[in-house]
Amino acid sequence: MKTRTWFQTIIRIDEKYQDLLVGLLALIGFTGFVQEEKILKSIIPKQKWNNTFKNKYEEILDNFRIEFSSLDLSYSGSIIHEENWNKKWEKKTGIVEATPNIIIKPSWKKLPKRHSNKLLLHIDPKMSFGTGHHETTRLSLNLLEQFLEPQMSVLDFGTGTGVLGIACIKLGAKSVFAVDNDEWAIENTKENVKRNGVSKQMVVKLGSISIIPQLKFNLIVANIDFRTISKFISSLTSRVRKHGIIILSGILTNDLPVLLKSFAKNALVPLETVAENEWTSIALRRM
Ligand code: SAH
């Protein structure tokens, strides 16, 4: 195991705005958060904190300031070491009822009896996004329950902890191809795949769109940010079979109208949208 050093930013921000900011930061690649009363700490592997990333981060803060002009949002940054915050993370994560039928559980928690007949995902998060605590993960699971059919082949684009891909296998998919461009996410997904006994059906690869085969999948699920969805929508469409399904999450409801136009251009027809707080997820069919 490599030694892990993290970069942490600290912002003073009232609790009521924190969840929205956490959602936006998670989708650009921050993998850990510590939320205190008026403080938000956001954590990312140190080598990822470069000028491009810093600009992305500051752009999010700028947009946030435009939306909420009363907020100051100046931040400080520092380097931290793994143990400091993995312990905090473990304390904070628990059992999540992601949908009425799907439970997400880290290995250090016991499953309460009342959940014993539900679909169980064993997910130890480490430093990746995808514990089920975030709306965008839960909304994706909700749409997967509706649109995943037995024996489908699935692409999980931006797999994080592997949570959505693992859920697909447990919901009856024949195979899952899971991709993430973050090496910690891939390491974490591989562990979770083993933990859930789905190694035979799930392939996990480090990389992005270019490593994904064309026209192969019955269903694609991608819980990624608006910018990445806009950039990759036509490449993703070319990877799903005709009449196949694409499920997209990580969309702020305000951004949906812009995306709907690019879906129409790609001959994707909306089938269903679900929303929680300010987040929307959508299922589409390729015509
Ligand atoms: N699927 C999980 C995680 C979503 S977070 C869930 O639903 O909870 C988004 C993930 O996408 C992160 O792990 C991030 O590393 C990955 N990601 C972001 N941009 C990507 C890209 N261009 N190619 C591949 N993965 C990407």
mmCIF file with all atom_site columns, all heavy atoms in Angstrom, residues 26-27 48 129-130 137 140 156-161 163-164 179-182 185 207-209 223-224 228 232, ligand 1:
data_model
loop_
_atom_site.group_PDB
_atom_site.id
_atom_site.type_symbol
_atom_site.label_atom_id
_atom_site.label_alt_id
_atom_site.label_comp_id
_atom_site.label_asym_id
_atom_site.label_entity_id
_atom_site.label_seq_id
_atom_site.pdbx_PDB_ins_code
_atom_site.Cartn_x
_atom_site.Cartn_y
_atom_site.Cartn_z
_atom_site.occupancy
_atom_site.B_iso_or_equiv
_atom_site.pdbx_formal_charge
_atom_site.auth_seq_id
_atom_site.auth_comp_id
_atom_site.auth_asym_id
_atom_site.auth_atom_id
_atom_site.pdbx_PDB_model_num
ATOM   1   N N   . ALA A 1 26  ? -17.554 17.129 -4.749  1.00 0.00 ? 26  ALA A N   1
ATOM   2   C CA  . ALA A 1 26  ? -17.379 15.674 -4.915  1.00 0.00 ? 26  ALA A CA  1
ATOM   3   C C   . ALA A 1 26  ? -17.348 15.334 -6.395  1.00 0.00 ? 26  ALA A C   1
ATOM   4   O O   . ALA A 1 26  ? -16.588 14.480 -6.839  1.00 0.00 ? 26  ALA A O   1
ATOM   5   C CB  . ALA A 1 26  ? -18.515 14.926 -4.238  1.00 0.00 ? 26  ALA A CB  1
ATOM   6   N N   . LEU A 1 27  ? -18.178 16.030 -7.159  1.00 0.00 ? 27  LEU A N   1
ATOM   7   C CA  . LEU A 1 27  ? -18.269 15.672 -8.570  1.00 0.00 ? 27  LEU A CA  1
ATOM   8   C C   . LEU A 1 27  ? -17.053 16.140 -9.374  1.00 0.00 ? 27  LEU A C   1
ATOM   9   O O   . LEU A 1 27  ? -16.805 15.637 -10.451 1.00 0.00 ? 27  LEU A O   1
ATOM   10  C CB  . LEU A 1 27  ? -19.585 16.190 -9.159  1.00 0.00 ? 27  LEU A CB  1
ATOM   11  C CG  . LEU A 1 27  ? -20.803 15.435 -8.589  1.00 0.00 ? 27  LEU A CG  1
ATOM   12  C CD1 . LEU A 1 27  ? -22.085 16.154 -8.907  1.00 0.00 ? 27  LEU A CD1 1
ATOM   13  C CD2 . LEU A 1 27  ? -20.886 14.011 -9.086  1.00 0.00 ? 27  LEU A CD2 1
ATOM   14  N N   . LYS A 1 48  ? -3.300  15.339 -7.006  1.00 0.00 ? 48  LYS A N   1
ATOM   15  C CA  . LYS A 1 48  ? -4.357  15.863 -7.890  1.00 0.00 ? 48  LYS A CA  1
ATOM   16  C C   . LYS A 1 48  ? -4.513  17.374 -7.785  1.00 0.00 ? 48  LYS A C   1
ATOM   17  O O   . LYS A 1 48  ? -5.165  18.015 -8.601  1.00 0.00 ? 48  LYS A O   1
ATOM   18  C CB  . LYS A 1 48  ? -5.690  15.223 -7.523  1.00 0.00 ? 48  LYS A CB  1
ATOM   19  C CG  . LYS A 1 48  ? -5.896  13.877 -8.122  1.00 0.00 ? 48  LYS A CG  1
ATOM   20  C CD  . LYS A 1 48  ? -7.371  13.562 -8.101  1.00 0.00 ? 48  LYS A CD  1
ATOM   21  C CE  . LYS A 1 48  ? -7.780  12.661 -9.223  1.00 0.00 ? 48  LYS A CE  1
ATOM   22  N NZ  . LYS A 1 48  ? -9.236  12.565 -9.319  1.00 0.00 ? 48  LYS A NZ  1
ATOM   23  N N   . PHE A 1 129 ? -15.850 8.531  -3.773  1.00 0.00 ? 129 PHE A N   1
ATOM   24  C CA  . PHE A 1 129 ? -17.230 9.005  -3.705  1.00 0.00 ? 129 PHE A CA  1
ATOM   25  C C   . PHE A 1 129 ? -18.143 7.838  -4.037  1.00 0.00 ? 129 PHE A C   1
ATOM   26  O O   . PHE A 1 129 ? -17.890 7.093  -4.968  1.00 0.00 ? 129 PHE A O   1
ATOM   27  C CB  . PHE A 1 129 ? -17.390 10.120 -4.742  1.00 0.00 ? 129 PHE A CB  1
ATOM   28  C CG  . PHE A 1 129 ? -18.715 10.791 -4.718  1.00 0.00 ? 129 PHE A CG  1
ATOM   29  C CD1 . PHE A 1 129 ? -18.952 11.847 -3.848  1.00 0.00 ? 129 PHE A CD1 1
ATOM   30  C CD2 . PHE A 1 129 ? -19.722 10.406 -5.584  1.00 0.00 ? 129 PHE A CD2 1
ATOM   31  C CE1 . PHE A 1 129 ? -20.168 12.493 -3.838  1.00 0.00 ? 129 PHE A CE1 1
ATOM   32  C CE2 . PHE A 1 129 ? -20.942 11.050 -5.589  1.00 0.00 ? 129 PHE A CE2 1
ATOM   33  C CZ  . PHE A 1 129 ? -21.168 12.096 -4.714  1.00 0.00 ? 129 PHE A CZ  1
ATOM   34  N N   . GLY A 1 130 ? -19.215 7.674  -3.278  1.00 0.00 ? 130 GLY A N   1
ATOM   35  C CA  . GLY A 1 130 ? -20.149 6.595  -3.590  1.00 0.00 ? 130 GLY A CA  1
ATOM   36  C C   . GLY A 1 130 ? -20.490 5.760  -2.384  1.00 0.00 ? 130 GLY A C   1
ATOM   37  O O   . GLY A 1 130 ? -20.427 4.536  -2.401  1.00 0.00 ? 130 GLY A O   1
ATOM   38  N N   . THR A 1 137 ? -26.094 9.504  -5.839  1.00 0.00 ? 137 THR A N   1
ATOM   39  C CA  . THR A 1 137 ? -25.931 8.038  -5.838  1.00 0.00 ? 137 THR A CA  1
ATOM   40  C C   . THR A 1 137 ? -27.292 7.367  -5.618  1.00 0.00 ? 137 THR A C   1
ATOM   41  O O   . THR A 1 137 ? -27.660 6.420  -6.318  1.00 0.00 ? 137 THR A O   1
ATOM   42  C CB  . THR A 1 137 ? -24.962 7.599  -4.710  1.00 0.00 ? 137 THR A CB  1
ATOM   43  O OG1 . THR A 1 137 ? -23.771 8.361  -4.805  1.00 0.00 ? 137 THR A OG1 1
ATOM   44  C CG2 . THR A 1 137 ? -24.645 6.123  -4.794  1.00 0.00 ? 137 THR A CG2 1
ATOM   45  N N   . SER A 1 140 ? -29.454 7.563  -8.687  1.00 0.00 ? 140 SER A N   1
ATOM   46  C CA  . SER A 1 140 ? -29.014 6.614  -9.726  1.00 0.00 ? 140 SER A CA  1
ATOM   47  C C   . SER A 1 140 ? -29.542 5.219  -9.396  1.00 0.00 ? 140 SER A C   1
ATOM   48  O O   . SER A 1 140 ? -30.007 4.491  -10.286 1.00 0.00 ? 140 SER A O   1
ATOM   49  C CB  . SER A 1 140 ? -27.488 6.533  -9.786  1.00 0.00 ? 140 SER A CB  1
ATOM   50  O OG  . SER A 1 140 ? -26.916 7.800  -9.912  1.00 0.00 ? 140 SER A OG  1
ATOM   51  N N   . ASP A 1 156 ? -20.503 1.270  -16.151 1.00 0.00 ? 156 ASP A N   1
ATOM   52  C CA  . ASP A 1 156 ? -20.585 2.184  -14.997 1.00 0.00 ? 156 ASP A CA  1
ATOM   53  C C   . ASP A 1 156 ? -19.445 3.192  -15.180 1.00 0.00 ? 156 ASP A C   1
ATOM   54  O O   . ASP A 1 156 ? -18.289 2.896  -14.891 1.00 0.00 ? 156 ASP A O   1
ATOM   55  C CB  . ASP A 1 156 ? -20.435 1.362  -13.710 1.00 0.00 ? 156 ASP A CB  1
ATOM   56  C CG  . ASP A 1 156 ? -20.438 2.227  -12.458 1.00 0.00 ? 156 ASP A CG  1
ATOM   57  O OD1 . ASP A 1 156 ? -20.670 3.449  -12.556 1.00 0.00 ? 156 ASP A OD1 1
ATOM   58  O OD2 . ASP A 1 156 ? -20.208 1.663  -11.357 1.00 0.00 ? 156 ASP A OD2 1
ATOM   59  N N   . PHE A 1 157 ? -19.795 4.377  -15.681 1.00 0.00 ? 157 PHE A N   1
ATOM   60  C CA  . PHE A 1 157 ? -18.774 5.378  -16.021 1.00 0.00 ? 157 PHE A CA  1
ATOM   61  C C   . PHE A 1 157 ? -18.577 6.326  -14.837 1.00 0.00 ? 157 PHE A C   1
ATOM   62  O O   . PHE A 1 157 ? -19.492 7.051  -14.458 1.00 0.00 ? 157 PHE A O   1
ATOM   63  C CB  . PHE A 1 157 ? -19.242 6.150  -17.268 1.00 0.00 ? 157 PHE A CB  1
ATOM   64  C CG  . PHE A 1 157 ? -18.215 7.124  -17.789 1.00 0.00 ? 157 PHE A CG  1
ATOM   65  C CD1 . PHE A 1 157 ? -16.955 6.686  -18.201 1.00 0.00 ? 157 PHE A CD1 1
ATOM   66  C CD2 . PHE A 1 157 ? -18.495 8.473  -17.868 1.00 0.00 ? 157 PHE A CD2 1
ATOM   67  C CE1 . PHE A 1 157 ? -16.014 7.575  -18.679 1.00 0.00 ? 157 PHE A CE1 1
ATOM   68  C CE2 . PHE A 1 157 ? -17.556 9.380  -18.348 1.00 0.00 ? 157 PHE A CE2 1
ATOM   69  C CZ  . PHE A 1 157 ? -16.310 8.925  -18.747 1.00 0.00 ? 157 PHE A CZ  1
ATOM   70  N N   . GLY A 1 158 ? -17.382 6.303  -14.229 1.00 0.00 ? 158 GLY A N   1
ATOM   71  C CA  . GLY A 1 158 ? -17.129 7.082  -13.001 1.00 0.00 ? 158 GLY A CA  1
ATOM   72  C C   . GLY A 1 158 ? -17.613 6.275  -11.809 1.00 0.00 ? 158 GLY A C   1
ATOM   73  O O   . GLY A 1 158 ? -18.503 6.666  -11.075 1.00 0.00 ? 158 GLY A O   1
ATOM   74  N N   . THR A 1 159 ? -16.974 5.113  -11.619 1.00 0.00 ? 159 THR A N   1
ATOM   75  C CA  . THR A 1 159 ? -17.541 4.126  -10.678 1.00 0.00 ? 159 THR A CA  1
ATOM   76  C C   . THR A 1 159 ? -17.344 4.493  -9.198  1.00 0.00 ? 159 THR A C   1
ATOM   77  O O   . THR A 1 159 ? -18.110 4.057  -8.350  1.00 0.00 ? 159 THR A O   1
ATOM   78  C CB  . THR A 1 159 ? -16.992 2.704  -11.012 1.00 0.00 ? 159 THR A CB  1
ATOM   79  O OG1 . THR A 1 159 ? -17.730 1.729  -10.289 1.00 0.00 ? 159 THR A OG1 1
ATOM   80  C CG2 . THR A 1 159 ? -15.514 2.582  -10.689 1.00 0.00 ? 159 THR A CG2 1
ATOM   81  N N   . GLY A 1 160 ? -16.316 5.301  -8.859  1.00 0.00 ? 160 GLY A N   1
ATOM   82  C CA  . GLY A 1 160 ? -16.119 5.741  -7.460  1.00 0.00 ? 160 GLY A CA  1
ATOM   83  C C   . GLY A 1 160 ? -15.761 4.585  -6.550  1.00 0.00 ? 160 GLY A C   1
ATOM   84  O O   . GLY A 1 160 ? -14.660 4.028  -6.623  1.00 0.00 ? 160 GLY A O   1
ATOM   85  N N   . THR A 1 161 ? -16.725 4.180  -5.718  1.00 0.00 ? 161 THR A N   1
ATOM   86  C CA  . THR A 1 161 ? -16.523 3.012  -4.846  1.00 0.00 ? 161 THR A CA  1
ATOM   87  C C   . THR A 1 161 ? -16.948 1.715  -5.528  1.00 0.00 ? 161 THR A C   1
ATOM   88  O O   . THR A 1 161 ? -16.847 0.645  -4.937  1.00 0.00 ? 161 THR A O   1
ATOM   89  C CB  . THR A 1 161 ? -17.404 3.118  -3.589  1.00 0.00 ? 161 THR A CB  1
ATOM   90  O OG1 . THR A 1 161 ? -18.762 3.273  -4.042  1.00 0.00 ? 161 THR A OG1 1
ATOM   91  C CG2 . THR A 1 161 ? -17.011 4.270  -2.693  1.00 0.00 ? 161 THR A CG2 1
ATOM   92  N N   . VAL A 1 163 ? -20.126 1.329  -6.318  1.00 0.00 ? 163 VAL A N   1
ATOM   93  C CA  . VAL A 1 163 ? -21.459 1.092  -5.756  1.00 0.00 ? 163 VAL A CA  1
ATOM   94  C C   . VAL A 1 163 ? -22.525 0.811  -6.815  1.00 0.00 ? 163 VAL A C   1
ATOM   95  O O   . VAL A 1 163 ? -23.319 -0.127 -6.670  1.00 0.00 ? 163 VAL A O   1
ATOM   96  C CB  . VAL A 1 163 ? -21.877 2.267  -4.822  1.00 0.00 ? 163 VAL A CB  1
ATOM   97  C CG1 . VAL A 1 163 ? -21.874 3.610  -5.513  1.00 0.00 ? 163 VAL A CG1 1
ATOM   98  C CG2 . VAL A 1 163 ? -23.217 2.023  -4.160  1.00 0.00 ? 163 VAL A CG2 1
ATOM   99  N N   . LEU A 1 164 ? -22.528 1.579  -7.909  1.00 0.00 ? 164 LEU A N   1
ATOM   100 C CA  . LEU A 1 164 ? -23.621 1.406  -8.884  1.00 0.00 ? 164 LEU A CA  1
ATOM   101 C C   . LEU A 1 164 ? -23.424 0.125  -9.694  1.00 0.00 ? 164 LEU A C   1
ATOM   102 O O   . LEU A 1 164 ? -24.381 -0.613 -9.941  1.00 0.00 ? 164 LEU A O   1
ATOM   103 C CB  . LEU A 1 164 ? -23.709 2.625  -9.819  1.00 0.00 ? 164 LEU A CB  1
ATOM   104 C CG  . LEU A 1 164 ? -23.967 3.969  -9.127  1.00 0.00 ? 164 LEU A CG  1
ATOM   105 C CD1 . LEU A 1 164 ? -24.020 5.094  -10.158 1.00 0.00 ? 164 LEU A CD1 1
ATOM   106 C CD2 . LEU A 1 164 ? -25.266 3.940  -8.323  1.00 0.00 ? 164 LEU A CD2 1
ATOM   107 N N   . VAL A 1 179 ? -15.438 1.956  -14.975 1.00 0.00 ? 179 VAL A N   1
ATOM   108 C CA  . VAL A 1 179 ? -14.296 2.792  -15.331 1.00 0.00 ? 179 VAL A CA  1
ATOM   109 C C   . VAL A 1 179 ? -14.221 3.982  -14.393 1.00 0.00 ? 179 VAL A C   1
ATOM   110 O O   . VAL A 1 179 ? -15.248 4.554  -14.020 1.00 0.00 ? 179 VAL A O   1
ATOM   111 C CB  . VAL A 1 179 ? -14.498 3.342  -16.773 1.00 0.00 ? 179 VAL A CB  1
ATOM   112 C CG1 . VAL A 1 179 ? -13.389 4.302  -17.143 1.00 0.00 ? 179 VAL A CG1 1
ATOM   113 C CG2 . VAL A 1 179 ? -14.569 2.208  -17.764 1.00 0.00 ? 179 VAL A CG2 1
ATOM   114 N N   . ASP A 1 180 ? -13.000 4.342  -14.025 1.00 0.00 ? 180 ASP A N   1
ATOM   115 C CA  . ASP A 1 180 ? -12.812 5.593  -13.295 1.00 0.00 ? 180 ASP A CA  1
ATOM   116 C C   . ASP A 1 180 ? -11.409 6.105  -13.620 1.00 0.00 ? 180 ASP A C   1
ATOM   117 O O   . ASP A 1 180 ? -10.488 5.302  -13.810 1.00 0.00 ? 180 ASP A O   1
ATOM   118 C CB  . ASP A 1 180 ? -12.959 5.392  -11.774 1.00 0.00 ? 180 ASP A CB  1
ATOM   119 C CG  . ASP A 1 180 ? -13.345 6.682  -11.050 1.00 0.00 ? 180 ASP A CG  1
ATOM   120 O OD1 . ASP A 1 180 ? -12.514 7.625  -11.026 1.00 0.00 ? 180 ASP A OD1 1
ATOM   121 O OD2 . ASP A 1 180 ? -14.463 6.756  -10.518 1.00 0.00 ? 180 ASP A OD2 1
ATOM   122 N N   . ASN A 1 181 ? -11.240 7.415  -13.676 1.00 0.00 ? 181 ASN A N   1
ATOM   123 C CA  . ASN A 1 181 ? -9.903  7.936  -13.991 1.00 0.00 ? 181 ASN A CA  1
ATOM   124 C C   . ASN A 1 181 ? -9.101  8.253  -12.734 1.00 0.00 ? 181 ASN A C   1
ATOM   125 O O   . ASN A 1 181 ? -8.056  8.864  -12.809 1.00 0.00 ? 181 ASN A O   1
ATOM   126 C CB  . ASN A 1 181 ? -9.993  9.160  -14.927 1.00 0.00 ? 181 ASN A CB  1
ATOM   127 C CG  . ASN A 1 181 ? -10.732 10.321 -14.288 1.00 0.00 ? 181 ASN A CG  1
ATOM   128 O OD1 . ASN A 1 181 ? -11.181 10.227 -13.155 1.00 0.00 ? 181 ASN A OD1 1
ATOM   129 N ND2 . ASN A 1 181 ? -10.864 11.413 -15.023 1.00 0.00 ? 181 ASN A ND2 1
ATOM   130 N N   . ASP A 1 182 ? -9.608  7.816  -11.585 1.00 0.00 ? 182 ASP A N   1
ATOM   131 C CA  . ASP A 1 182 ? -8.912  8.066  -10.322 1.00 0.00 ? 182 ASP A CA  1
ATOM   132 C C   . ASP A 1 182 ? -8.397  6.730  -9.785  1.00 0.00 ? 182 ASP A C   1
ATOM   133 O O   . ASP A 1 182 ? -9.179  5.802  -9.556  1.00 0.00 ? 182 ASP A O   1
ATOM   134 C CB  . ASP A 1 182 ? -9.915  8.702  -9.353  1.00 0.00 ? 182 ASP A CB  1
ATOM   135 C CG  . ASP A 1 182 ? -9.331  8.942  -7.980  1.00 0.00 ? 182 ASP A CG  1
ATOM   136 O OD1 . ASP A 1 182 ? -8.664  8.039  -7.424  1.00 0.00 ? 182 ASP A OD1 1
ATOM   137 O OD2 . ASP A 1 182 ? -9.542  10.025 -7.436  1.00 0.00 ? 182 ASP A OD2 1
ATOM   138 N N   . ALA A 1 185 ? -9.943  5.358  -6.605  1.00 0.00 ? 185 ALA A N   1
ATOM   139 C CA  . ALA A 1 185 ? -11.308 4.843  -6.810  1.00 0.00 ? 185 ALA A CA  1
ATOM   140 C C   . ALA A 1 185 ? -11.231 3.424  -7.367  1.00 0.00 ? 185 ALA A C   1
ATOM   141 O O   . ALA A 1 185 ? -11.982 2.533  -6.929  1.00 0.00 ? 185 ALA A O   1
ATOM   142 C CB  . ALA A 1 185 ? -12.082 5.757  -7.761  1.00 0.00 ? 185 ALA A CB  1
ATOM   143 N N   . GLY A 1 207 ? -9.147  4.605  -16.248 1.00 0.00 ? 207 GLY A N   1
ATOM   144 C CA  . GLY A 1 207 ? -9.119  5.329  -17.518 1.00 0.00 ? 207 GLY A CA  1
ATOM   145 C C   . GLY A 1 207 ? -10.383 6.129  -17.713 1.00 0.00 ? 207 GLY A C   1
ATOM   146 O O   . GLY A 1 207 ? -11.173 6.299  -16.777 1.00 0.00 ? 207 GLY A O   1
ATOM   147 N N   . SER A 1 208 ? -10.564 6.602  -18.941 1.00 0.00 ? 208 SER A N   1
ATOM   148 C CA  . SER A 1 208 ? -11.757 7.391  -19.213 1.00 0.00 ? 208 SER A CA  1
ATOM   149 C C   . SER A 1 208 ? -12.416 6.882  -20.489 1.00 0.00 ? 208 SER A C   1
ATOM   150 O O   . SER A 1 208 ? -12.244 5.719  -20.851 1.00 0.00 ? 208 SER A O   1
ATOM   151 C CB  . SER A 1 208 ? -11.375 8.864  -19.301 1.00 0.00 ? 208 SER A CB  1
ATOM   152 O OG  . SER A 1 208 ? -12.548 9.634  -19.402 1.00 0.00 ? 208 SER A OG  1
ATOM   153 N N   . ILE A 1 209 ? -13.094 7.755  -21.202 1.00 0.00 ? 209 ILE A N   1
ATOM   154 C CA  . ILE A 1 209 ? -13.969 7.323  -22.297 1.00 0.00 ? 209 ILE A CA  1
ATOM   155 C C   . ILE A 1 209 ? -13.247 6.484  -23.354 1.00 0.00 ? 209 ILE A C   1
ATOM   156 O O   . ILE A 1 209 ? -13.799 5.526  -23.874 1.00 0.00 ? 209 ILE A O   1
ATOM   157 C CB  . ILE A 1 209 ? -14.665 8.564  -22.925 1.00 0.00 ? 209 ILE A CB  1
ATOM   158 C CG1 . ILE A 1 209 ? -15.879 8.166  -23.738 1.00 0.00 ? 209 ILE A CG1 1
ATOM   159 C CG2 . ILE A 1 209 ? -13.705 9.435  -23.700 1.00 0.00 ? 209 ILE A CG2 1
ATOM   160 C CD1 . ILE A 1 209 ? -17.107 8.011  -22.914 1.00 0.00 ? 209 ILE A CD1 1
ATOM   161 N N   . ASN A 1 223 ? -22.764 8.813  -12.989 1.00 0.00 ? 223 ASN A N   1
ATOM   162 C CA  . ASN A 1 223 ? -23.067 9.837  -11.981 1.00 0.00 ? 223 ASN A CA  1
ATOM   163 C C   . ASN A 1 223 ? -21.860 10.774 -11.936 1.00 0.00 ? 223 ASN A C   1
ATOM   164 O O   . ASN A 1 223 ? -20.932 10.567 -11.161 1.00 0.00 ? 223 ASN A O   1
ATOM   165 C CB  . ASN A 1 223 ? -23.326 9.177  -10.629 1.00 0.00 ? 223 ASN A CB  1
ATOM   166 C CG  . ASN A 1 223 ? -23.574 10.214 -9.539  1.00 0.00 ? 223 ASN A CG  1
ATOM   167 O OD1 . ASN A 1 223 ? -23.803 11.381 -9.850  1.00 0.00 ? 223 ASN A OD1 1
ATOM   168 N ND2 . ASN A 1 223 ? -23.519 9.789  -8.291  1.00 0.00 ? 223 ASN A ND2 1
ATOM   169 N N   . ILE A 1 224 ? -21.856 11.741 -12.829 1.00 0.00 ? 224 ILE A N   1
ATOM   170 C CA  . ILE A 1 224 ? -20.714 12.648 -12.991 1.00 0.00 ? 224 ILE A CA  1
ATOM   171 C C   . ILE A 1 224 ? -21.263 14.070 -13.050 1.00 0.00 ? 224 ILE A C   1
ATOM   172 O O   . ILE A 1 224 ? -22.462 14.253 -13.113 1.00 0.00 ? 224 ILE A O   1
ATOM   173 C CB  . ILE A 1 224 ? -19.924 12.305 -14.277 1.00 0.00 ? 224 ILE A CB  1
ATOM   174 C CG1 . ILE A 1 224 ? -19.513 10.836 -14.253 1.00 0.00 ? 224 ILE A CG1 1
ATOM   175 C CG2 . ILE A 1 224 ? -18.708 13.151 -14.414 1.00 0.00 ? 224 ILE A CG2 1
ATOM   176 C CD1 . ILE A 1 224 ? -18.219 10.524 -14.942 1.00 0.00 ? 224 ILE A CD1 1
ATOM   177 N N   . THR A 1 228 ? -18.774 17.275 -17.293 1.00 0.00 ? 228 THR A N   1
ATOM   178 C CA  . THR A 1 228 ? -18.308 16.014 -17.877 1.00 0.00 ? 228 THR A CA  1
ATOM   179 C C   . THR A 1 228 ? -19.410 15.363 -18.717 1.00 0.00 ? 228 THR A C   1
ATOM   180 O O   . THR A 1 228 ? -19.147 14.810 -19.789 1.00 0.00 ? 228 THR A O   1
ATOM   181 C CB  . THR A 1 228 ? -17.814 15.061 -16.771 1.00 0.00 ? 228 THR A CB  1
ATOM   182 O OG1 . THR A 1 228 ? -16.974 15.797 -15.896 1.00 0.00 ? 228 THR A OG1 1
ATOM   183 C CG2 . THR A 1 228 ? -17.050 13.886 -17.326 1.00 0.00 ? 228 THR A CG2 1
ATOM   184 N N   . PHE A 1 232 ? -19.073 14.487 -22.709 1.00 0.00 ? 232 PHE A N   1
ATOM   185 C CA  . PHE A 1 232 ? -19.020 13.096 -23.162 1.00 0.00 ? 232 PHE A CA  1
ATOM   186 C C   . PHE A 1 232 ? -20.343 12.533 -23.677 1.00 0.00 ? 232 PHE A C   1
ATOM   187 O O   . PHE A 1 232 ? -20.404 11.355 -24.012 1.00 0.00 ? 232 PHE A O   1
ATOM   188 C CB  . PHE A 1 232 ? -18.508 12.194 -22.037 1.00 0.00 ? 232 PHE A CB  1
ATOM   189 C CG  . PHE A 1 232 ? -17.041 12.369 -21.756 1.00 0.00 ? 232 PHE A CG  1
ATOM   190 C CD1 . PHE A 1 232 ? -16.585 12.579 -20.457 1.00 0.00 ? 232 PHE A CD1 1
ATOM   191 C CD2 . PHE A 1 232 ? -16.112 12.320 -22.786 1.00 0.00 ? 232 PHE A CD2 1
ATOM   192 C CE1 . PHE A 1 232 ? -15.236 12.744 -20.188 1.00 0.00 ? 232 PHE A CE1 1
ATOM   193 C CE2 . PHE A 1 232 ? -14.754 12.482 -22.530 1.00 0.00 ? 232 PHE A CE2 1
ATOM   194 C CZ  . PHE A 1 232 ? -14.315 12.696 -21.234 1.00 0.00 ? 232 PHE A CZ  1
HETATM 195 N N1  . SAH B 2 .   ? -20.627 6.107  -9.258  1.00 0.00 ? 1   SAH B N1  1
HETATM 196 C C1  . SAH B 2 .   ? -20.377 6.574  -7.893  1.00 0.00 ? 1   SAH B C1  1
HETATM 197 C C2  . SAH B 2 .   ? -19.330 7.683  -7.863  1.00 0.00 ? 1   SAH B C2  1
HETATM 198 C C3  . SAH B 2 .   ? -19.725 8.988  -8.526  1.00 0.00 ? 1   SAH B C3  1
HETATM 199 S S1  . SAH B 2 .   ? -18.529 10.302 -8.294  1.00 0.00 ? 1   SAH B S1  1
HETATM 200 C C4  . SAH B 2 .   ? -21.672 7.013  -7.257  1.00 0.00 ? 1   SAH B C4  1
HETATM 201 O O1  . SAH B 2 .   ? -22.682 7.102  -7.959  1.00 0.00 ? 1   SAH B O1  1
HETATM 202 O O2  . SAH B 2 .   ? -21.713 7.287  -6.068  1.00 0.00 ? 1   SAH B O2  1
HETATM 203 C C5  . SAH B 2 .   ? -17.880 10.510 -9.900  1.00 0.00 ? 1   SAH B C5  1
HETATM 204 C C6  . SAH B 2 .   ? -16.707 9.599  -10.208 1.00 0.00 ? 1   SAH B C6  1
HETATM 205 O O3  . SAH B 2 .   ? -16.361 9.827  -11.556 1.00 0.00 ? 1   SAH B O3  1
HETATM 206 C C7  . SAH B 2 .   ? -15.449 9.904  -9.374  1.00 0.00 ? 1   SAH B C7  1
HETATM 207 O O4  . SAH B 2 .   ? -14.986 8.710  -8.778  1.00 0.00 ? 1   SAH B O4  1
HETATM 208 C C8  . SAH B 2 .   ? -14.449 10.454 -10.395 1.00 0.00 ? 1   SAH B C8  1
HETATM 209 O O5  . SAH B 2 .   ? -13.117 10.056 -10.152 1.00 0.00 ? 1   SAH B O5  1
HETATM 210 C C9  . SAH B 2 .   ? -14.966 9.845  -11.702 1.00 0.00 ? 1   SAH B C9  1
HETATM 211 N N2  . SAH B 2 .   ? -14.678 10.644 -12.906 1.00 0.00 ? 1   SAH B N2  1
HETATM 212 C C10 . SAH B 2 .   ? -14.802 11.988 -13.070 1.00 0.00 ? 1   SAH B C10 1
HETATM 213 N N3  . SAH B 2 .   ? -14.486 12.347 -14.334 1.00 0.00 ? 1   SAH B N3  1
HETATM 214 C C11 . SAH B 2 .   ? -14.152 11.196 -14.990 1.00 0.00 ? 1   SAH B C11 1
HETATM 215 C C12 . SAH B 2 .   ? -13.716 10.913 -16.324 1.00 0.00 ? 1   SAH B C12 1
HETATM 216 N N4  . SAH B 2 .   ? -13.566 11.878 -17.219 1.00 0.00 ? 1   SAH B N4  1
HETATM 217 N N5  . SAH B 2 .   ? -13.445 9.620  -16.656 1.00 0.00 ? 1   SAH B N5  1
HETATM 218 C C13 . SAH B 2 .   ? -13.592 8.633  -15.736 1.00 0.00 ? 1   SAH B C13 1
HETATM 219 N N6  . SAH B 2 .   ? -14.001 8.841  -14.471 1.00 0.00 ? 1   SAH B N6  1
HETATM 220 C C14 . SAH B 2 .   ? -14.273 10.108 -14.093 1.00 0.00 ? 1   SAH B C14 1
#
